[in-house]
Amino acid sequence: MQTLHVELGDRRYPIFIGSQLDPKTLLAPYIKGQQVMIVTNTTLEQLYLSHYVHDLESLGKKVATCVLPDGEKYKNLENLNLIFDALLEAGFNRDCTVLALGGGVIGDMAGFASACFQRGVYFIQVPTTLLSQVDSSVGGKTGINHPLGKNMIGAFKQPEVVMADMAQLRTLPARELSAGLAEVIKYALLGDLEFLAWLEQHMDGLLAGDESLLAQAVYRSCAHKARIVANDEKEQGERALLNLGHTFGHAIESYLGYGKWLHGEAVATGMVMAADLSQRMGWISAEDLQRTKNIIQRAKLPISCPKIPLDEFLSYMAHDKKVLNGQLRLVLLQQLGQAVITKEFDVEKMKQVILENQAE
Amino acid sequence: MQTLHVELGDRRYPIFIGSQLDPKTLLAPYIKGQQVMIVTNTTLEQLYLSHYVHDLESLGKKVATCVLPDGEKYKNLENLNLIFDALLEAGFNRDCTVLALGGGVIGDMAGFASACFQRGVYFIQVPTTLLSQVDSSVGGKTGINHPLGKNMIGAFKQPEVVMADMAQLRTLPARELSAGLAEVIKYALLGDLEFLAWLEQHMDGLLAGDESLLAQAVYRSCAHKARIVANDEKEQGERALLNLGHTFGHAIESYLGYGKWLHGEAVATGMVMAADLSQRMGWISAEDLQRTKNIIQRAKLPISCPKIPLDEFLSYMAHDKKVLNGQLRLVLLQQLGQAVITKEFDVEKMKQVILENQAE
């Protein structure tokens, strides 16, 4: 097991990364009160819930559970309210802990609920997908979707501890493993060319579920994100780089309707679009663009999106949270392995990129 | 006009207190972006909204409005979502400002919406009731009610600026002015015996709407609260003293259903109950208790509550946010003018207090 510390002053917290980790031993020191609400989904309920309930009860905790439907389309106000209902029906107080046992959707919703319930209670994350292990474990972004935009309502909420267990990835569908690899590839593209080479070398092992390789990829991704977040917790500057591929990707997700494409799949195609625009602006070479497409394809991820009318695509992009004073900003690649956020891009070239990266 | 600064480090902000204040001049420096969403209710819409829209538009801002139904019973998730709908339909971004034009309900909802929209945008408060001027102006507590408890879902969100205009109290119903005086009296009872004497001297003028006296009462109340909040923003300790009368009061409000009694009315009776228990525990004298009842009655506020079954009253009290590890804590009067938070109270005496302060 490796331990990574996210350095956020008095909200510093550890991420435990390994295989077959023991929640009882690792989480106990981080549960402050006597009450724990485990938030999970119907799929994970069958796989892990009774095990966690048993472990925490054996620590003398009062454990309640809230099981939500599985999927991004349920990441809304209505289901968030089910967590509040469960907390209040259990009679839980300000010293309770909300434990998210699940992927990004569960982490985002449980985290947001913990930020709002009684204006803030304790939060623990056990991310069970590769995507949530490399993305949601660090940074404290929580929230829900709105019919007019993704993640439009939320809070910054740091957990007390995160436990990322590679053994839980054994039950993860292959498509979701690939979606997680999209975010892993993102860290390489935006800031670590050496990591890109490592991924090119080990992609087959990662896809085969080698837990030692996966743990290394998770550690390296989290370490990257932790460094960036420690510098810029509230996304005033550098943190926006983590949105490489996301402005295009969110537009794809919003148009298709949440849940049709996985978030990682949309980000994968979004990164191809960002790289393509960077190439058209003369920042990266055609070879760099091809290398970007190759690693994404090798991870079994899409490099083009379905047909989307240009005006609708642009309209969804305009809802992006990086819009400042009405002006869209994009994360592009200055070089391969070095991202920048900029409003100085060519809008016509951006439109070409959108049109020319759509599948027939 | 007087200016009071709430000292919260880099979230320091001013409260302007006076009569016939100019929003255009006073608020302009605190509106960071170009978009302003004014949140108000149907009553205030008719009195002030067009004036504010005009003033802000003349500053070159893009102004949108969200008009909510008037009343505490609308302080729920459903109406909160109307604010999110309005913000997204207007195409507002992360640099927008949410301006609350209204009393406590509007301030709490608009503030909470500003805390959550895009994980936090700017917030400005123009409190239009005495209660919100002395209570919601300071402290950053925002939120909504849940069927199982008041203010159970929310956030700490500090405004950029607060403007409290006594001229807006001219249209305030007498009953609501009295409800505001309940919180003014609270500051005297919990920490300022000299202020209690001042209130005893000026109660008639305050009830008559003397704007100079009202401004003084608002300034002194806000100054008290600001000092306490600066010491203890997240309510780990001293800030809990501000809940004098609130644990009893919330039980009354919850039982009756939100909106039957005004918050200030429930707090008034709650303060009588807290004083009564303090007297029964030998902390304050019978004369002190009588003095407490007198000033509350002179403000035309209730000193006893309707018949409520004891077990229901206690059950609502158990949902209080001051419950820690399952144990109820109460704010009581060590002396008149000096409150303490304690779990060392006599439960049987508390039950007597609840039963014996109910009207026939």
Side-chain angles (χ1 to χ4, degrees):
Chain A
M1 188 186 83
Q2 285 186 287
T3 304
L4 179 72
H5 284 276
V6 181
E7 300 296 346
L8 289 167
D10 59 354
R11 284 164 296 113
R12 179 179 195 263
Y13 68 89
I15 306 177
F16 301 124
I17 301 167
S19 207
Q20 293 186 287
L21 303 177
D22 178 25
K24 201 166 146 181
T25 320
L26 292 173
L27 302 183
Y30 299 91
I31 301 173
K32 304 279 165 65
Q34 292 307 309
Q35 305 165 331
V36 183
M37 173 65 67
I38 305 178
V39 179
T40 192
N41 67 31
T42 45
T43 307
L44 295 159
E45 177 188 17
Q46 295 169 8
L47 294 168
Y48 307 115
L49 185 59
S50 64
H51 174 55
Y52 276 78
V53 170
H54 176 269
D55 271 11
L56 296 175
E57 280 181 346
S58 74
L59 291 168
K61 303 297 177 185
K62 182 183 171 190
V63 183
T65 63
C66 176
V67 181
L68 300 176
D70 187 4
E72 176 89 18
K73 69 178 167 188
Y74 300 107
K75 199 173 107 173
N76 57 26
L77 206 57
E78 188 186 338
N79 284 289
L80 179 74
N81 202 31
L82 294 180
I83 307 178
F84 296 135
D85 289 345
L87 286 161
L88 283 160
E89 279 160 16
F92 278 13
N93 305 125
R94 200 186 275 180
D95 57 340
C96 75
T97 295
V98 175
L99 187 154
L101 174 66
V105 171
I106 289 296
D108 281 5
M109 295 185 73
F112 188 34
S114 77
C116 298
F117 183 61
Q118 309 234 21
R119 298 196 190 89
V121 297
Y122 299 108
F123 178 44
I124 288 178
Q125 264 180 299
V126 180
T128 59
T129 64
L130 180 59
L131 179 64
S132 57
Q133 286 174 348
V134 297
D135 190 37
S136 322
S137 301
V138 187
K141 281 193 182 177
T142 68
I144 55 174
N145 298 326
H146 183 282
L148 292 177
K150 203 169 139 64
N151 293 321
M152 281 292 153
I153 302 159
F156 287 96
K157 174 71 179 176
Q158 303 301 337
E160 302 297 310
V161 60
V162 175
M163 190 182 87
D165 189 341
M166 300 308 123
Q168 288 177 329
L169 301 182
R170 293 174 198 168
T171 53
L172 192 71
R175 187 178 164 199
E176 293 202 31
L177 191 73
S178 287
L181 287 171
E183 294 278 350
V184 173
I185 292 167
K186 184 188 77 176
Y187 292 105
L189 293 178
L190 74 84
D192 191 347
L193 210 52
E194 194 189 299
F195 187 35
L196 182 60
W198 186 89
L199 287 173
E200 287 168 336
Q201 190 184 343
H202 295 294
M203 185 53 75
D204 297 338
L206 290 164
L207 280 171
D210 180 316
E211 289 176 25
S212 164
L213 288 175
L214 285 167
Q216 288 177 64
V218 170
Y219 186 91
R220 198 142 170 182
S221 298
C222 288
H224 254 291
K225 185 163 184 181
R227 185 187 51 73
I228 291 173
V229 167
N231 286 339
D232 178 24
E233 187 182 355
K234 293 293 174 67
E235 194 163 336
Q236 307 298 307
E238 184 183 358
R239 183 163 176 176
L241 300 183
L242 297 174
N243 285 301
L244 176 65
H246 282 60
T247 304
F248 294 106
H250 281 170
I252 298 170
E253 280 180 289
S254 300
Y255 176 80
L256 294 178
Y258 302 136
K260 294 274 172 50
W261 270 31
L262 296 175
H263 175 66
E265 293 168 340
V267 167
T269 299
M271 290 191 296
V272 171
M273 289 179 165
D276 191 353
L277 181 51
S278 308
Q279 193 263 316
R280 284 171 204 245
M281 290 174 64
W283 292 359
I284 66 170
S285 68
E287 291 71 28
D288 290 336
L289 173 59
Q290 194 53 53
R291 198 174 160 192
T292 302
K293 287 182 178 178
N294 286 349
I295 189 72
I296 288 171
Q297 275 191 306
R298 278 192 61 205
K300 303 192 188 303
L301 289 161
I303 58 168
S304 60
C305 70
K307 276 264 178 263
I308 300 176
L310 183 62
D311 55 344
E312 292 197 47
F313 202 109
L314 294 172
S315 158
Y316 281 114
M317 288 181 83
H319 279 298
D320 190 84
K321 287 194 288 296
K322 288 182 295 303
V323 170
L324 198 66
N325 290 318
Q327 186 150 33
L328 185 63
R329 296 179 300 156
L330 286 178
V331 181
L332 298 177
L333 296 175
Q334 190 88 61
Q335 306 172 28
L336 198 64
Q338 191 188 318
V340 288
I341 181 158
T342 180
K343 54 188 187 202
E344 307 298 329
F345 56 87
D346 183 321
V347 175
E348 290 311 312
K349 286 185 175 146
M350 182 182 79
K351 290 178 184 172
Q352 286 166 18
V353 161
I354 294 169
L355 291 170
E356 293 174 22
N357 283 283
Q358 301 193 353
E360 287 311 305
Chain B
M1 188 187 83
Q2 286 186 286
T3 304
L4 179 72
H5 284 276
V6 181
E7 299 296 346
L8 289 167
D10 59 352
R11 283 164 296 114
R12 179 179 196 264
Y13 67 90
I15 305 177
F16 300 125
I17 301 166
S19 207
Q20 294 186 285
L21 304 177
D22 177 26
K24 201 167 146 179
T25 321
L26 292 173
L27 302 184
Y30 299 91
I31 301 173
K32 305 280 165 63
Q34 292 308 309
Q35 306 165 331
V36 183
M37 173 64 66
I38 306 180
V39 180
T40 192
N41 66 34
T42 46
T43 307
L44 295 159
E45 176 187 21
Q46 295 169 9
L47 294 167
Y48 306 114
L49 185 58
S50 62
H51 174 54
Y52 275 78
V53 170
H54 177 269
D55 271 13
L56 296 175
E57 281 181 344
S58 74
L59 290 169
K61 304 297 177 185
K62 180 182 174 191
V63 183
T65 62
C66 177
V67 181
L68 301 176
D70 188 3
E72 175 90 17
K73 69 177 166 188
Y74 301 107
K75 200 172 107 173
N76 56 28
L77 207 58
E78 187 185 339
N79 284 289
L80 178 75
N81 202 31
L82 294 180
I83 307 179
F84 296 134
D85 289 345
L87 285 161
L88 284 161
E89 279 159 16
F92 278 15
N93 304 126
R94 202 186 274 182
D95 57 341
C96 74
T97 295
V98 175
L99 187 154
L101 175 65
V105 171
I106 291 296
D108 281 5
M109 294 184 73
F112 187 34
S114 76
C116 299
F117 183 60
Q118 310 233 20
R119 300 197 188 91
V121 297
Y122 300 109
F123 177 44
I124 288 179
Q125 264 180 298
V126 180
T128 59
T129 64
L130 181 59
L131 179 65
S132 58
Q133 288 173 348
V134 298
D135 190 37
S136 321
S137 302
V138 187
K141 282 192 183 178
T142 68
I144 55 174
N145 298 326
H146 183 282
L148 292 178
K150 204 169 140 60
N151 293 320
M152 280 292 152
I153 302 159
F156 286 96
K157 175 71 179 177
Q158 304 300 337
E160 302 298 308
V161 60
V162 175
M163 189 181 87
D165 189 340
M166 300 307 122
Q168 289 176 328
L169 302 182
R170 291 173 200 168
T171 52
L172 191 70
R175 187 178 163 198
E176 292 203 30
L177 191 72
S178 288
L181 288 171
E183 294 277 349
V184 173
I185 292 166
K186 183 189 77 176
Y187 293 105
L189 293 178
L190 75 83
D192 191 346
L193 210 51
E194 195 190 297
F195 187 34
L196 183 60
W198 185 90
L199 288 172
E200 287 167 336
Q201 191 184 344
H202 295 295
M203 186 51 74
D204 296 339
L206 290 164
L207 280 172
D210 180 316
E211 290 175 24
S212 165
L213 288 175
L214 284 167
Q216 289 177 64
V218 169
Y219 185 90
R220 198 144 169 180
S221 298
C222 287
H224 254 290
K225 186 164 183 181
R227 186 187 50 73
I228 291 172
V229 168
N231 287 338
D232 179 24
E233 186 182 357
K234 294 291 173 70
E235 195 164 338
Q236 307 299 308
E238 184 182 359
R239 183 164 178 176
L241 300 182
L242 297 172
N243 284 301
L244 176 65
H246 282 61
T247 305
F248 294 106
H250 280 172
I252 297 170
E253 281 180 288
S254 299
Y255 176 80
L256 294 177
Y258 303 133
K260 296 274 172 49
W261 270 31
L262 297 175
H263 176 66
E265 293 169 340
V267 167
T269 299
M271 289 192 295
V272 171
M273 288 179 166
D276 191 353
L277 181 52
S278 307
Q279 193 263 317
R280 284 172 204 243
M281 290 173 66
W283 292 359
I284 67 170
S285 68
E287 291 71 28
D288 289 337
L289 174 59
Q290 194 53 51
R291 200 175 159 193
T292 301
K293 287 183 178 179
N294 286 348
I295 189 72
I296 287 171
Q297 274 191 305
R298 279 190 62 205
K300 302 194 190 301
L301 288 160
I303 57 169
S304 60
C305 71
K307 275 262 177 268
I308 300 176
L310 183 62
D311 56 343
E312 292 199 45
F313 202 109
L314 295 173
S315 158
Y316 280 115
M317 288 180 83
H319 278 298
D320 190 84
K321 285 194 289 295
K322 287 183 296 303
V323 170
L324 199 67
N325 290 319
Q327 187 151 33
L328 185 63
R329 296 179 300 156
L330 286 177
V331 181
L332 298 177
L333 297 174
Q334 190 90 60
Q335 306 170 30
L336 198 65
Q338 191 189 316
V340 288
I341 180 158
T342 179
K343 54 187 187 200
E344 307 296 330
F345 56 86
D346 182 322
V347 176
E348 289 311 311
K349 284 183 175 148
M350 183 183 78
K351 290 178 182 173
Q352 285 165 20
V353 161
I354 293 168
L355 291 170
E356 292 173 21
N357 284 285
Q358 302 195 352
E360 288 310 307

